[in-house]
Amino acid sequence: QEWLGTSIEFGVHPTEKGTELSFRHVGVAPALGCYADSVAGWTMFLTSIETLAATATGTPFAADTEQRATLRE
């Protein structure tokens, strides 16, 4: 319920070392009961995206090691 009316923003920005991906969940703030769980969940998925970009294998479902995302050429 607390996510109703929120939005998710991604940005891609060039840097001197490559590319930076930014993420923002607009409307989710520390005052909300879902905040801590939201931060933990987004951290897990965004870390998986970083791993996917670096190694071609991500782990979006860390609790279930049989489910893995693989970057396809």
Side-chain angles (χ1 to χ4, degrees), residues 47-71:
T47 300
S48 177
I49 290 171
E50 182 179 28
T51 303
L52 179 65
T55 67
T57 300
T59 54
F61 304 101
D64 183 356
T65 57
E66 292 190 18
Q67 293 186 11
R68 295 196 180 271
T70 302
L71 186 61

Side-chain angles (χ1 to χ4, degrees), residues 14-48:
T15 68
E16 289 182 15
K17 294 183 179 182
T19 304
E20 177 182 277
L21 174 66
S22 63
F23 170 82
R24 184 172 171 217
H25 192 159
V26 180
V28 174
L32 295 176
C34 69
Y35 184 78
D37 288 336
S38 296
V39 169
W42 285 125
T43 298
M44 181 185 72
F45 279 103
L46 294 172
T47 300
S48 177

